Amino acid sequence: MENNAIKELIDKYLKGLLSAQEAKQVEQLLERMADEQAFETLPEEERKEAQQGGYDRLLSRIQAAEQPAPVRKIFTVKRLKIAAAVALFIIAGTLYRNSLLNMVAPHRLTDLSSTSGKIRKLILSDGSIVWLKDNSKLIYPVTFGKGSRVVTLEGEALFEVAKDAEHPFYIHCGPLTTQVLGTSFNIRSNGRQTEVTVLTGKISLSTEKAGRILLYPNEKAVYAVSSETIAKDSKTTTPLHELTRGTEYNMAFNDAHMPDVIKRIENKFDVRILLKDTTINHHLITADLTDQSLDNTMKMIGQALNLEVVIEGRTISLQQQRKHN
C-alpha cells in the first residue's frame, strides 16, 4: 500500500465518506500504526488475514463505492489522534511502514545484520534457521513464495535449512551459489575467498566460470575470488564445535531431564512449551534431535514418551496420551 493510497484513505475517513464498518477498520488500522508493540503482537489469525489482502480489499471497496456514506461526526480528539498517526506513518514511521509492508507485500526483501562478537539467530518463514555470525548480513524475503527459496549472504552464517524437495534453497555469496534441498552447513566469506563446510546432507556449489561441485557431510570447499576456482579442502576442515559455537544447533541429549530439553527446544525454535501434565518433567531423554525441524522434534519426543503434542502457532502443549478402553 503506497503512501498516496494511505493518505487518500485517511482523507475519505476525515471527510466522513466511509461506511461505519470501513471507518472502524481505518480506526483500528491507525491505532495499530501508532502503537508498534500492539501491532507486533497482533493475533496470528489477524496477520494471516491481512497478508491475504485485507487492507487492499478495504481500499478496493472504498474506491468502488458509488455513493458516499452519510457524513460522520468525528470528535476533535479523535481527529488529532488520526492526524498524529498519519504524520508518524508518512514522515517518521519506518517501523510502522515495515509492519504494513510485511502484510501487503509479504515476499519483499528485507535484511538482518550482526555486529562484532555477536551471533544473531533468524528463523525464516519456511522454518529454516540461520545463525548470523560476526559482522555479517543476510538479505531474505519476509515470506518465501511458491518457487525457489533464495537468500543472499555477506560474511559468515550457520544454516539449518528446512527440508523441502519441491523448493530448493539457494544462497548467493558474491559469485558463488550454494544450492540445497535440506541440510546444515556453514558459509564464511571475507571478500577474498568463501569457505563452505557441510555438517549434514548434500549441497552443490557453483559459479558461472568455475562450474559445479558437490559436497557431502564433513567436506569443505573453498572458492577463491582471484582465480575464480572452487576446490575441495580436506586438510583444514574446521571442527564441528567451532562452527556451532554460540548457536543452539547441537540438540543431542543423553539421559537429559525433560525441563532441560524443553528449555533447549524453546530457545532454538522461539516457541513456548506448556505442560498439561507435570509428571512429564520426571522423564529422562536420550536422543539426537540435531538438524530436525520443530515438527519432527516434537513428533520424536511425543513418540518416545507417549505424549500428545498440539502445536498452535508459537505455543506447544504436551500431555500424556489418554488410555483407551
Side-chain angles (χ1 to χ4, degrees), residues 18-37:
L18 305 182
S19 68
Q21 182 179 1
E22 290 167 348
K24 184 177 181 181
Q25 288 180 281
V26 172
E27 291 167 6
Q28 292 174 343
L29 169 61
L30 291 173
E31 286 174 359
R32 291 165 184 165
M33 286 164 50
D35 184 348
E36 178 197 349
Q37 289 186 341

Side-chain angles (χ1 to χ4, degrees), residues 37-237:
Q37 289 186 341
F39 195 90
E40 291 298 330
T41 56
L42 280 176
E44 187 174 355
E45 292 182 30
E46 290 188 38
R47 285 179 177 271
K48 288 182 179 179
E49 183 179 353
Q51 287 177 340
Q52 294 169 359
Y55 296 143
D56 286 335
R57 290 196 297 273
L58 172 60
L59 270 181
S60 299
R61 290 200 301 271
I62 294 169
Q63 294 168 350
E66 297 180 359
Q67 298 296 328
V71 176
R72 302 175 66 250
K73 281 190 175 183
I74 303 174
F75 294 102
T76 303
V77 174
K78 182 168 285 188
R79 282 179 179 274
L80 291 175
K81 183 177 180 181
I82 298 301
V86 176
L88 278 172
F89 176 78
I90 295 173
I91 298 172
T94 301
L95 291 175
Y96 312 131
R97 184 180 301 112
N98 286 342
S99 296
L100 283 175
L101 284 172
N102 288 352
M103 290 186 171
V104 300
H107 305 316
R108 73 185 183 91
L109 293 178
T110 187
D111 62 77
L112 179 71
S113 298
S114 62
T115 55
S116 180
K118 299 290 184 180
I119 292 178
R120 298 191 67 180
K121 181 179 68 178
L122 174 67
I123 300 180
L124 300 174
S125 65
D126 65 338
S128 296
I129 304 177
V130 183
W131 286 277
L132 205 57
K133 301 183 181 180
D134 288 5
N135 297 313
S136 300
K137 180 179 180 180
L138 186 74
I139 301 172
Y140 62 97
V142 174
T143 303
F144 287 115
K146 296 180 179 180
S148 299
R149 299 170 286 170
V150 182
V151 302
T152 299
L153 173 67
E154 299 173 9
E156 181 178 2
L158 174 66
F159 287 81
E160 190 174 321
V161 176
K163 296 175 177 60
D164 186 348
E166 295 183 0
H167 303 92
F169 195 101
Y170 294 90
I171 301 134
H172 297 306
C173 194
L176 182 69
T177 297
T178 301
Q179 179 184 356
V180 55
L181 297 179
T183 184
S184 53
F185 51 92
N186 192 84
I187 299 180
R188 178 188 295 138
S189 178
N190 59 16
R192 301 183 302 278
Q193 65 179 32
T194 299
E195 300 177 358
V196 182
T197 304
V198 178
L199 280 66
T200 61
K202 178 181 71 174
I203 67 174
S204 72
L205 303 178
S206 65
T207 69
E208 187 174 343
K209 293 187 177 181
R212 173 178 303 199
I213 68 169
L214 295 178
L215 283 184
Y216 296 88
N218 303 316
E219 289 189 334
K220 171 183 172 182
V222 177
Y223 169 74
V225 174
S226 58
S227 61
E228 297 182 325
T229 58
I230 305 174
K232 290 187 179 181
D233 183 356
S234 59
K235 298 180 181 180
T236 60
T237 301

Side-chain angles (χ1 to χ4, degrees), residues 239-258:
L240 176 63
H241 70 273
E242 290 188 19
L243 294 176
T244 61
R245 181 185 293 124
T247 74
E248 300 95 348
Y249 176 79
N250 182 7
M251 295 289 284
F253 302 100
N254 184 20
D255 281 343
H257 293 278
M258 192 61 179

